[in-house]
Amino acid sequence: MKISIISASHRTKSQSKKISNVLNNNLLSLQSDLDIYEIDLADTSLPLWSSDKKKGEGVWGDTWNSISDNLSKSDGFILVVPEYGGMATPAAKNIFLLCGSGEFAHKPGLIVSVSSGNGGANPISELRMSSYKNTHIMWIPENIIIRNVEEFNPGAHGNNIPEWLDNRIDYVLKLLLAYASNMKPLREIINRKDFGNGM
Ligand SMILES: Cc1cc2nc3c(=O)[nH]c(=O)nc-3n(C[C@H](O)[C@H](O)[C@H](O)COP(=O)(O)O)c2cc1C
């Protein structure tokens, strides 16, 4: 089973990337034979969607095809998204525009939001409202918010990280893996030719 972890910060060496690495390790502790694809949108610097994408030139050639292929082969997703200006990041929104070939379609996704302070709720409500129509991603009904993210260091958390958070993360990752495995048969009845976009 393949899980993709997408870090949607605009900053290299970000807190989101740090959390993605932690989640990668946690997933492997739960199921050691997982194939995990981690992508940091800050490192890949994908341009905003434009109609040039159709031409398949430059970044829209091998670079994009490899990303799209990895996402297409995934059975579930984790999107690690920081709150910027009370919103999901533009990089997070952009990936949903770029993935127009069913990469996410009818597969479970977990939103993990991060904030250096007490924010983090806004990207979740925004993504739950607007990211699924054409991608058909299925956000699972659990999410994680990591507040005071700089203090989140497994084994040596700061005082502002609640002691229950590690257990909650573990529980939600287990759920995501169960959704990913149980939702596989759904994809046999998907008709993207006639119903590729949502209403
Ligand atoms: C452009 C920008 C806007 C931000 N706006 C918010 C915000 O609205 N709410 C919040 O809780 N944190 C905000 N922050 C602080 C981020 O939560 C903090 O920088 C966090 O580490 C960002 O994650 P990253 O390191 O993965 O980019 C903002 C940070 C940046 C760079």
Side-chain angles (χ1 to χ4, degrees):
M1 194 157 68
K2 183 167 176 127
I3 301 289
S4 283
I5 306 177
I6 302 167
S7 171
S9 173
H10 286 220
R11 311 191 304 170
T12 54
K13 303 192 179 77
S14 65
Q15 294 296 317
S16 300
K17 176 67 180 159
K18 177 184 89 176
I19 298 300
S20 298
N21 293 340
V22 170
L23 297 174
N24 191 329
N25 288 334
N26 290 3
L27 281 172
L28 289 174
S29 315
L30 291 171
Q31 196 174 317
S32 58
D33 63 348
L34 281 178
D35 176 7
I36 300 182
Y37 172 63
E38 230 188 288
I39 176 169
D40 183 350
L41 297 180
D43 284 340
T44 53
S45 299
L46 290 168
L48 287 178
W49 180 93
S50 84
S51 45
D52 285 346
K53 181 166 174 277
K54 278 205 189 101
K55 295 183 195 152
E57 292 166 1
V59 71
W60 303 125
D62 289 348
T63 305
W64 174 253
N65 289 337
S66 155
I67 295 170
S68 172
D69 189 52
N70 272 292
L71 297 175
S72 296
K73 287 179 176 149
S74 297
D75 301 294
F77 302 93
I78 299 178
L79 182 73
V80 184
V81 57
E83 179 167 309
Y84 281 5
M87 301 180 281
T89 56
K93 305 287 287 230
N94 195 36
I95 195 76
F96 290 108
L97 283 182
L98 295 178
C99 288
S101 303
E103 290 90 338
F104 293 119
H106 303 276
K107 300 177 193 172
L110 164 67
I111 305 173
V112 177
S113 71
V114 310
S115 163
S116 55
N118 282 322
N122 290 308
I124 294 174
S125 46
E126 185 179 350
L127 290 168
R128 284 192 183 284
M129 183 174 68
S130 63
S131 53
Y132 70 93
K133 186 182 85 71
N134 289 355
T135 65
H136 293 118
I137 194 164
M138 295 192 62
W139 295 121
I140 68 169
E142 296 284 351
N143 44 251
I144 298 286
I145 304 179
I146 304 184
R147 300 193 161 110
N148 304 298
V149 64
E150 270 105 355
E151 295 188 37
F152 188 92
N153 297 299
H157 288 321
N159 291 337
N160 287 310
I161 301 298
E163 42 145 78
W164 45 261
L165 187 55
D166 289 318
N167 285 343
R168 161 72 59 165
I169 290 171
D170 233 43
Y171 166 67
V172 172
L173 291 180
K174 272 185 205 148
L175 276 176
L176 176 71
L177 294 180
Y179 277 109
S181 136
N182 283 291
M183 283 171 65
K184 278 187 191 184
L186 253 184
R187 298 205 281 282
E188 285 163 25
I189 58 166
I190 287 161
N191 176 353
R192 284 194 41 81
K193 184 173 154 287
D194 297 320
F195 306 111
N197 291 335
M199 286 179 73

